[in-house]
Amino acid sequence: DQQVKQNSPSLSVQEGRISILNCDYTNSMFDYFLWYKKYPAEGPTFLISISSIKDKNEDGRFTVFLNKSAKHLSLHIVPSQPGDSAVYFCAAPRNDMRFGAGTRLTVKP
Amino acid sequence: AAGVIQSPRHLIKEKRETATLKCYPIPRHDTVYWYQQGPGQDPQFLISFYEKMQSDKGSIPDRFSAQQFSDYHSELNMSSLELGDSALYFCASSSMLEGTEAFFGQGTRLTVV
């Protein structure tokens, strides 16, 4: 039973453009969400979070949007840079930190 | 700042042998999670502990067991190793009380030959 879902396994964008990574969840009790970034052979690193009391959280080039009614969150990266190429995971801590399947972002120079 | 420490970083074992992976969480973190990432795969949740009690169990084989000790470090014990157990094993820790994000160790790469 996957309560956190990332339905796009991969995304490719041009450098300088916006990257939008999506995540859906099923449990309306989730009140906190995290995005992680992972490079090959390294541990995931925390990127940005959002609490359900907000609908937007911004940190530099990264912005996470939360739509509680749709049970959907998205991560926007603007502008995208080649160094952003990695696998991005969303997670809900109350799901005992299970991740979505991840989206592999490739930013082309 | 102290991070999550995993040891060893690399481990090579033969089939049917046993392996023990260790995880030292960030100080004052009370929750530990274990993940397995096979080649070309996404991290799969294995098991988690909160305050030394198992809190959730994922796709952990019966050949594996884990525990969290009084000092909050955790060990993942793997017996009767199979070639398919070759993977990167990540540990993460968080503070359930503070609701902070989980921080990951650098992982242990287990190779079964």
PDB file of all heavy atoms in Angstrom, chain B residues 9-37:
ATOM      1  N   ARG B   9      31.724   1.062   5.783  1.00  0.00           N
ATOM      2  CA  ARG B   9      31.288   1.702   4.550  1.00  0.00           C
ATOM      3  C   ARG B   9      31.191   0.691   3.420  1.00  0.00           C
ATOM      4  O   ARG B   9      30.346   0.811   2.531  1.00  0.00           O
ATOM      5  CB  ARG B   9      32.264   2.812   4.158  1.00  0.00           C
ATOM      6  CG  ARG B   9      32.214   4.031   5.068  1.00  0.00           C
ATOM      7  CD  ARG B   9      30.858   4.764   4.999  1.00  0.00           C
ATOM      8  NE  ARG B   9      30.456   5.077   3.651  1.00  0.00           N
ATOM      9  CZ  ARG B   9      30.868   6.132   2.959  1.00  0.00           C
ATOM     10  NH1 ARG B   9      31.706   6.987   3.510  1.00  0.00           N
ATOM     11  NH2 ARG B   9      30.433   6.338   1.731  1.00  0.00           N
ATOM     12  N   HIS B  10      32.063  -0.282   3.464  1.00  0.00           N
ATOM     13  CA  HIS B  10      32.073  -1.336   2.447  1.00  0.00           C
ATOM     14  C   HIS B  10      32.248  -2.681   3.130  1.00  0.00           C
ATOM     15  O   HIS B  10      32.984  -2.788   4.120  1.00  0.00           O
ATOM     16  CB  HIS B  10      33.206  -1.125   1.440  1.00  0.00           C
ATOM     17  CG  HIS B  10      33.155   0.195   0.739  1.00  0.00           C
ATOM     18  ND1 HIS B  10      32.431   0.394  -0.418  1.00  0.00           N
ATOM     19  CD2 HIS B  10      33.731   1.378   1.029  1.00  0.00           C
ATOM     20  CE1 HIS B  10      32.569   1.649  -0.802  1.00  0.00           C
ATOM     21  NE2 HIS B  10      33.347   2.272   0.050  1.00  0.00           N
ATOM     22  N   LEU B  11      31.583  -3.682   2.575  1.00  0.00           N
ATOM     23  CA  LEU B  11      31.652  -5.012   3.167  1.00  0.00           C
ATOM     24  C   LEU B  11      31.505  -6.033   2.056  1.00  0.00           C
ATOM     25  O   LEU B  11      30.603  -5.931   1.222  1.00  0.00           O
ATOM     26  CB  LEU B  11      30.520  -5.180   4.183  1.00  0.00           C
ATOM     27  CG  LEU B  11      30.502  -6.410   5.082  1.00  0.00           C
ATOM     28  CD1 LEU B  11      31.775  -6.500   5.905  1.00  0.00           C
ATOM     29  CD2 LEU B  11      29.275  -6.370   5.984  1.00  0.00           C
ATOM     30  N   ILE B  12      32.404  -6.996   2.061  1.00  0.00           N
ATOM     31  CA  ILE B  12      32.322  -8.077   1.083  1.00  0.00           C
ATOM     32  C   ILE B  12      32.158  -9.379   1.861  1.00  0.00           C
ATOM     33  O   ILE B  12      32.947  -9.686   2.752  1.00  0.00           O
ATOM     34  CB  ILE B  12      33.579  -8.142   0.188  1.00  0.00           C
ATOM     35  CG1 ILE B  12      33.735  -6.831  -0.589  1.00  0.00           C
ATOM     36  CG2 ILE B  12      33.481  -9.325  -0.775  1.00  0.00           C
ATOM     37  CD1 ILE B  12      35.007  -6.767  -1.423  1.00  0.00           C
ATOM     38  N   LYS B  13      31.141 -10.122   1.506  1.00  0.00           N
ATOM     39  CA  LYS B  13      30.858 -11.386   2.173  1.00  0.00           C
ATOM     40  C   LYS B  13      30.586 -12.469   1.126  1.00  0.00           C
ATOM     41  O   LYS B  13      30.208 -12.160  -0.021  1.00  0.00           O
ATOM     42  CB  LYS B  13      29.621 -11.250   3.070  1.00  0.00           C
ATOM     43  CG  LYS B  13      29.838 -10.397   4.307  1.00  0.00           C
ATOM     44  CD  LYS B  13      30.622 -11.150   5.349  1.00  0.00           C
ATOM     45  CE  LYS B  13      30.728 -10.365   6.636  1.00  0.00           C
ATOM     46  NZ  LYS B  13      31.462 -11.134   7.677  1.00  0.00           N
ATOM     47  N   GLU B  14      30.757 -13.697   1.539  1.00  0.00           N
ATOM     48  CA  GLU B  14      30.435 -14.806   0.652  1.00  0.00           C
ATOM     49  C   GLU B  14      28.994 -15.262   0.915  1.00  0.00           C
ATOM     50  O   GLU B  14      28.415 -14.983   1.968  1.00  0.00           O
ATOM     51  CB  GLU B  14      31.412 -15.953   0.861  1.00  0.00           C
ATOM     52  CG  GLU B  14      32.833 -15.592   0.460  1.00  0.00           C
ATOM     53  CD  GLU B  14      33.767 -16.785   0.496  1.00  0.00           C
ATOM     54  OE1 GLU B  14      33.326 -17.874   0.923  1.00  0.00           O
ATOM     55  OE2 GLU B  14      34.924 -16.626   0.094  1.00  0.00           O
ATOM     56  N   LYS B  15      28.459 -15.954  -0.072  1.00  0.00           N
ATOM     57  CA  LYS B  15      27.111 -16.513   0.086  1.00  0.00           C
ATOM     58  C   LYS B  15      27.035 -17.352   1.347  1.00  0.00           C
ATOM     59  O   LYS B  15      27.995 -18.025   1.725  1.00  0.00           O
ATOM     60  CB  LYS B  15      26.756 -17.372  -1.127  1.00  0.00           C
ATOM     61  CG  LYS B  15      26.395 -16.569  -2.349  1.00  0.00           C
ATOM     62  CD  LYS B  15      25.690 -17.418  -3.410  1.00  0.00           C
ATOM     63  CE  LYS B  15      26.495 -18.647  -3.783  1.00  0.00           C
ATOM     64  NZ  LYS B  15      25.841 -19.417  -4.868  1.00  0.00           N
ATOM     65  N   ARG B  16      25.915 -17.271   1.983  1.00  0.00           N
ATOM     66  CA  ARG B  16      25.602 -18.037   3.195  1.00  0.00           C
ATOM     67  C   ARG B  16      26.300 -17.510   4.449  1.00  0.00           C
ATOM     68  O   ARG B  16      26.072 -18.047   5.527  1.00  0.00           O
ATOM     69  CB  ARG B  16      25.891 -19.538   3.010  1.00  0.00           C
ATOM     70  CG  ARG B  16      24.921 -20.193   2.015  1.00  0.00           C
ATOM     71  CD  ARG B  16      25.255 -21.672   1.831  1.00  0.00           C
ATOM     72  NE  ARG B  16      26.492 -21.859   1.103  1.00  0.00           N
ATOM     73  CZ  ARG B  16      26.594 -21.820  -0.218  1.00  0.00           C
ATOM     74  NH1 ARG B  16      25.527 -21.561  -0.960  1.00  0.00           N
ATOM     75  NH2 ARG B  16      27.760 -22.031  -0.810  1.00  0.00           N
ATOM     76  N   GLU B  17      27.108 -16.489   4.289  1.00  0.00           N
ATOM     77  CA  GLU B  17      27.720 -15.886   5.464  1.00  0.00           C
ATOM     78  C   GLU B  17      26.733 -14.919   6.130  1.00  0.00           C
ATOM     79  O   GLU B  17      25.619 -14.715   5.643  1.00  0.00           O
ATOM     80  CB  GLU B  17      29.000 -15.128   5.080  1.00  0.00           C
ATOM     81  CG  GLU B  17      30.191 -16.027   4.834  1.00  0.00           C
ATOM     82  CD  GLU B  17      31.497 -15.241   4.752  1.00  0.00           C
ATOM     83  OE1 GLU B  17      31.494 -14.172   4.121  1.00  0.00           O
ATOM     84  OE2 GLU B  17      32.497 -15.701   5.336  1.00  0.00           O
ATOM     85  N   THR B  18      27.165 -14.360   7.257  1.00  0.00           N
ATOM     86  CA  THR B  18      26.348 -13.365   7.944  1.00  0.00           C
ATOM     87  C   THR B  18      27.066 -12.020   7.910  1.00  0.00           C
ATOM     88  O   THR B  18      28.295 -11.951   7.774  1.00  0.00           O
ATOM     89  CB  THR B  18      26.083 -13.755   9.401  1.00  0.00           C
ATOM     90  OG1 THR B  18      27.338 -13.852  10.080  1.00  0.00           O
ATOM     91  CG2 THR B  18      25.354 -15.071   9.496  1.00  0.00           C
ATOM     92  N   ALA B  19      26.276 -10.970   8.031  1.00  0.00           N
ATOM     93  CA  ALA B  19      26.829  -9.617   8.045  1.00  0.00           C
ATOM     94  C   ALA B  19      26.076  -8.791   9.073  1.00  0.00           C
ATOM     95  O   ALA B  19      24.870  -8.986   9.284  1.00  0.00           O
ATOM     96  CB  ALA B  19      26.719  -8.973   6.662  1.00  0.00           C
ATOM     97  N   THR B  20      26.791  -7.881   9.690  1.00  0.00           N
ATOM     98  CA  THR B  20      26.166  -6.958  10.641  1.00  0.00           C
ATOM     99  C   THR B  20      26.519  -5.544  10.243  1.00  0.00           C
ATOM    100  O   THR B  20      27.699  -5.187  10.154  1.00  0.00           O
ATOM    101  CB  THR B  20      26.641  -7.217  12.081  1.00  0.00           C
ATOM    102  OG1 THR B  20      26.242  -8.540  12.465  1.00  0.00           O
ATOM    103  CG2 THR B  20      26.008  -6.222  13.035  1.00  0.00           C
ATOM    104  N   LEU B  21      25.502  -4.745  10.020  1.00  0.00           N
ATOM    105  CA  LEU B  21      25.685  -3.341   9.661  1.00  0.00           C
ATOM    106  C   LEU B  21      25.279  -2.490  10.857  1.00  0.00           C
ATOM    107  O   LEU B  21      24.273  -2.779  11.524  1.00  0.00           O
ATOM    108  CB  LEU B  21      24.808  -2.975   8.451  1.00  0.00           C
ATOM    109  CG  LEU B  21      25.314  -3.338   7.062  1.00  0.00           C
ATOM    110  CD1 LEU B  21      25.615  -4.823   6.940  1.00  0.00           C
ATOM    111  CD2 LEU B  21      24.313  -2.911   6.015  1.00  0.00           C
ATOM    112  N   LYS B  22      26.061  -1.453  11.091  1.00  0.00           N
ATOM    113  CA  LYS B  22      25.794  -0.620  12.258  1.00  0.00           C
ATOM    114  C   LYS B  22      25.429   0.807  11.851  1.00  0.00           C
ATOM    115  O   LYS B  22      25.917   1.322  10.842  1.00  0.00           O
ATOM    116  CB  LYS B  22      27.010  -0.592  13.179  1.00  0.00           C
ATOM    117  CG  LYS B  22      27.345  -1.962  13.749  1.00  0.00           C
ATOM    118  CD  LYS B  22      28.473  -1.898  14.747  1.00  0.00           C
ATOM    119  CE  LYS B  22      28.749  -3.289  15.307  1.00  0.00           C
ATOM    120  NZ  LYS B  22      29.818  -3.268  16.325  1.00  0.00           N
ATOM    121  N   CYS B  23      24.593   1.407  12.667  1.00  0.00           N
ATOM    122  CA  CYS B  23      24.121   2.762  12.406  1.00  0.00           C
ATOM    123  C   CYS B  23      24.131   3.536  13.708  1.00  0.00           C
ATOM    124  O   CYS B  23      23.533   3.099  14.707  1.00  0.00           O
ATOM    125  CB  CYS B  23      22.718   2.724  11.817  1.00  0.00           C
ATOM    126  SG  CYS B  23      21.926   4.337  11.678  1.00  0.00           S
ATOM    127  N   TYR B  24      24.793   4.674  13.688  1.00  0.00           N
ATOM    128  CA  TYR B  24      24.836   5.543  14.862  1.00  0.00           C
ATOM    129  C   TYR B  24      24.082   6.826  14.526  1.00  0.00           C
ATOM    130  O   TYR B  24      24.544   7.621  13.700  1.00  0.00           O
ATOM    131  CB  TYR B  24      26.283   5.825  15.256  1.00  0.00           C
ATOM    132  CG  TYR B  24      27.019   4.574  15.667  1.00  0.00           C
ATOM    133  CD1 TYR B  24      27.666   3.786  14.706  1.00  0.00           C
ATOM    134  CD2 TYR B  24      27.042   4.153  16.986  1.00  0.00           C
ATOM    135  CE1 TYR B  24      28.313   2.624  15.065  1.00  0.00           C
ATOM    136  CE2 TYR B  24      27.701   2.990  17.355  1.00  0.00           C
ATOM    137  CZ  TYR B  24      28.330   2.227  16.394  1.00  0.00           C
ATOM    138  OH  TYR B  24      28.975   1.067  16.746  1.00  0.00           O
ATOM    139  N   PRO B  25      22.920   7.026  15.136  1.00  0.00           N
ATOM    140  CA  PRO B  25      22.095   8.182  14.759  1.00  0.00           C
ATOM    141  C   PRO B  25      22.669   9.496  15.279  1.00  0.00           C
ATOM    142  O   PRO B  25      23.596   9.507  16.091  1.00  0.00           O
ATOM    143  CB  PRO B  25      20.752   7.876  15.433  1.00  0.00           C
ATOM    144  CG  PRO B  25      21.111   7.031  16.612  1.00  0.00           C
ATOM    145  CD  PRO B  25      22.301   6.212  16.180  1.00  0.00           C
ATOM    146  N   ILE B  26      22.092  10.556  14.800  1.00  0.00           N
ATOM    147  CA  ILE B  26      22.448  11.878  15.295  1.00  0.00           C
ATOM    148  C   ILE B  26      22.051  11.949  16.777  1.00  0.00           C
ATOM    149  O   ILE B  26      20.979  11.453  17.150  1.00  0.00           O
ATOM    150  CB  ILE B  26      21.734  12.959  14.470  1.00  0.00           C
ATOM    151  CG1 ILE B  26      22.331  12.991  13.062  1.00  0.00           C
ATOM    152  CG2 ILE B  26      21.820  14.327  15.126  1.00  0.00           C
ATOM    153  CD1 ILE B  26      21.595  13.876  12.085  1.00  0.00           C
ATOM    154  N   PRO B  27      22.892  12.557  17.628  1.00  0.00           N
ATOM    155  CA  PRO B  27      22.551  12.651  19.051  1.00  0.00           C
ATOM    156  C   PRO B  27      21.165  13.239  19.278  1.00  0.00           C
ATOM    157  O   PRO B  27      20.747  14.181  18.600  1.00  0.00           O
ATOM    158  CB  PRO B  27      23.654  13.558  19.600  1.00  0.00           C
ATOM    159  CG  PRO B  27      24.816  13.310  18.703  1.00  0.00           C
ATOM    160  CD  PRO B  27      24.224  13.107  17.338  1.00  0.00           C
ATOM    161  N   ARG B  28      20.443  12.650  20.190  1.00  0.00           N
ATOM    162  CA  ARG B  28      19.082  13.040  20.593  1.00  0.00           C
ATOM    163  C   ARG B  28      18.022  12.605  19.586  1.00  0.00           C
ATOM    164  O   ARG B  28      16.843  12.894  19.800  1.00  0.00           O
ATOM    165  CB  ARG B  28      18.977  14.541  20.877  1.00  0.00           C
ATOM    166  CG  ARG B  28      19.799  14.979  22.079  1.00  0.00           C
ATOM    167  CD  ARG B  28      19.559  16.449  22.405  1.00  0.00           C
ATOM    168  NE  ARG B  28      19.914  17.313  21.312  1.00  0.00           N
ATOM    169  CZ  ARG B  28      21.176  17.679  21.057  1.00  0.00           C
ATOM    170  NH1 ARG B  28      22.150  17.242  21.801  1.00  0.00           N
ATOM    171  NH2 ARG B  28      21.438  18.484  20.041  1.00  0.00           N
ATOM    172  N   HIS B  29      18.403  11.956  18.529  1.00  0.00           N
ATOM    173  CA  HIS B  29      17.402  11.370  17.637  1.00  0.00           C
ATOM    174  C   HIS B  29      16.956  10.030  18.209  1.00  0.00           C
ATOM    175  O   HIS B  29      17.763   9.222  18.672  1.00  0.00           O
ATOM    176  CB  HIS B  29      17.975  11.176  16.229  1.00  0.00           C
ATOM    177  CG  HIS B  29      17.947  12.418  15.421  1.00  0.00           C
ATOM    178  ND1 HIS B  29      18.209  12.430  14.060  1.00  0.00           N
ATOM    179  CD2 HIS B  29      17.683  13.710  15.745  1.00  0.00           C
ATOM    180  CE1 HIS B  29      18.099  13.649  13.594  1.00  0.00           C
ATOM    181  NE2 HIS B  29      17.790  14.450  14.602  1.00  0.00           N
ATOM    182  N   ASP B  30      15.647   9.816  18.161  1.00  0.00           N
ATOM    183  CA  ASP B  30      15.099   8.641  18.802  1.00  0.00           C
ATOM    184  C   ASP B  30      14.576   7.599  17.799  1.00  0.00           C
ATOM    185  O   ASP B  30      14.120   6.537  18.203  1.00  0.00           O
ATOM    186  CB  ASP B  30      13.941   9.039  19.729  1.00  0.00           C
ATOM    187  CG  ASP B  30      12.943   9.967  19.047  1.00  0.00           C
ATOM    188  OD1 ASP B  30      12.758   9.844  17.808  1.00  0.00           O
ATOM    189  OD2 ASP B  30      12.364  10.824  19.726  1.00  0.00           O
ATOM    190  N   THR B  31      14.656   7.912  16.541  1.00  0.00           N
ATOM    191  CA  THR B  31      14.097   7.034  15.514  1.00  0.00           C
ATOM    192  C   THR B  31      15.157   6.695  14.474  1.00  0.00           C
ATOM    193  O   THR B  31      15.905   7.573  14.034  1.00  0.00           O
ATOM    194  CB  THR B  31      12.900   7.716  14.825  1.00  0.00           C
ATOM    195  OG1 THR B  31      11.933   8.079  15.806  1.00  0.00           O
ATOM    196  CG2 THR B  31      12.260   6.781  13.805  1.00  0.00           C
ATOM    197  N   VAL B  32      15.220   5.443  14.132  1.00  0.00           N
ATOM    198  CA  VAL B  32      16.170   4.966  13.132  1.00  0.00           C
ATOM    199  C   VAL B  32      15.403   4.200  12.061  1.00  0.00           C
ATOM    200  O   VAL B  32      14.492   3.434  12.358  1.00  0.00           O
ATOM    201  CB  VAL B  32      17.234   4.052  13.775  1.00  0.00           C
ATOM    202  CG1 VAL B  32      18.037   3.332  12.705  1.00  0.00           C
ATOM    203  CG2 VAL B  32      18.169   4.861  14.658  1.00  0.00           C
ATOM    204  N   TYR B  33      15.789   4.436  10.817  1.00  0.00           N
ATOM    205  CA  TYR B  33      15.185   3.747   9.677  1.00  0.00           C
ATOM    206  C   TYR B  33      16.283   3.046   8.886  1.00  0.00           C
ATOM    207  O   TYR B  33      17.383   3.567   8.749  1.00  0.00           O
ATOM    208  CB  TYR B  33      14.503   4.737   8.733  1.00  0.00           C
ATOM    209  CG  TYR B  33      13.653   5.797   9.386  1.00  0.00           C
ATOM    210  CD1 TYR B  33      14.224   6.968   9.886  1.00  0.00           C
ATOM    211  CD2 TYR B  33      12.274   5.654   9.463  1.00  0.00           C
ATOM    212  CE1 TYR B  33      13.442   7.949  10.456  1.00  0.00           C
ATOM    213  CE2 TYR B  33      11.487   6.642  10.030  1.00  0.00           C
ATOM    214  CZ  TYR B  33      12.076   7.781  10.519  1.00  0.00           C
ATOM    215  OH  TYR B  33      11.296   8.763  11.081  1.00  0.00           O
ATOM    216  N   TRP B  34      15.959   1.903   8.340  1.00  0.00           N
ATOM    217  CA  TRP B  34      16.882   1.175   7.457  1.00  0.00           C
ATOM    218  C   TRP B  34      16.258   1.041   6.073  1.00  0.00           C
ATOM    219  O   TRP B  34      15.065   0.715   5.936  1.00  0.00           O
ATOM    220  CB  TRP B  34      17.179  -0.221   7.995  1.00  0.00           C
ATOM    221  CG  TRP B  34      18.112  -0.265   9.160  1.00  0.00           C
ATOM    222  CD1 TRP B  34      17.790  -0.344  10.486  1.00  0.00           C
ATOM    223  CD2 TRP B  34      19.548  -0.248   9.104  1.00  0.00           C
ATOM    224  NE1 TRP B  34      18.931  -0.370  11.257  1.00  0.00           N
ATOM    225  CE2 TRP B  34      20.020  -0.318  10.440  1.00  0.00           C
ATOM    226  CE3 TRP B  34      20.483  -0.191   8.066  1.00  0.00           C
ATOM    227  CZ2 TRP B  34      21.370  -0.327  10.764  1.00  0.00           C
ATOM    228  CZ3 TRP B  34      21.831  -0.203   8.384  1.00  0.00           C
ATOM    229  CH2 TRP B  34      22.262  -0.275   9.718  1.00  0.00           C
ATOM    230  N   TYR B  35      17.104   1.277   5.060  1.00  0.00           N
ATOM    231  CA  TYR B  35      16.677   1.153   3.672  1.00  0.00           C
ATOM    232  C   TYR B  35      17.690   0.320   2.907  1.00  0.00           C
ATOM    233  O   TYR B  35      18.879   0.335   3.199  1.00  0.00           O
ATOM    234  CB  TYR B  35      16.574   2.527   3.000  1.00  0.00           C
ATOM    235  CG  TYR B  35      15.518   3.422   3.596  1.00  0.00           C
ATOM    236  CD1 TYR B  35      15.787   4.199   4.707  1.00  0.00           C
ATOM    237  CD2 TYR B  35      14.249   3.490   3.026  1.00  0.00           C
ATOM    238  CE1 TYR B  35      14.821   5.010   5.265  1.00  0.00           C
ATOM    239  CE2 TYR B  35      13.273   4.312   3.571  1.00  0.00           C
ATOM    240  CZ  TYR B  35      13.564   5.060   4.688  1.00  0.00           C
ATOM    241  OH  TYR B  35      12.602   5.866   5.236  1.00  0.00           O
ATOM    242  N   GLN B  36      17.185  -0.365   1.893  1.00  0.00           N
ATOM    243  CA  GLN B  36      18.037  -1.147   0.988  1.00  0.00           C
ATOM    244  C   GLN B  36      17.870  -0.606  -0.430  1.00  0.00           C
ATOM    245  O   GLN B  36      16.740  -0.442  -0.909  1.00  0.00           O
ATOM    246  CB  GLN B  36      17.614  -2.622   1.024  1.00  0.00           C
ATOM    247  CG  GLN B  36      18.364  -3.519   0.062  1.00  0.00           C
ATOM    248  CD  GLN B  36      17.682  -4.872  -0.087  1.00  0.00           C
ATOM    249  OE1 GLN B  36      16.523  -4.962  -0.468  1.00  0.00           O
ATOM    250  NE2 GLN B  36      18.396  -5.943   0.239  1.00  0.00           N
ATOM    251  N   GLN B  37      18.973  -0.322  -1.068  1.00  0.00           N
ATOM    252  CA  GLN B  37      18.901   0.131  -2.457  1.00  0.00           C
ATOM    253  C   GLN B  37      19.720  -0.785  -3.337  1.00  0.00           C
ATOM    254  O   GLN B  37      20.961  -0.774  -3.283  1.00  0.00           O
ATOM    255  CB  GLN B  37      19.393   1.567  -2.596  1.00  0.00           C
ATOM    256  CG  GLN B  37      19.218   2.100  -4.012  1.00  0.00           C
ATOM    257  CD  GLN B  37      19.673   3.531  -4.170  1.00  0.00           C
ATOM    258  OE1 GLN B  37      20.494   4.018  -3.399  1.00  0.00           O
ATOM    259  NE2 GLN B  37      19.137   4.217  -5.167  1.00  0.00           N
TER     260      GLN B  37
END
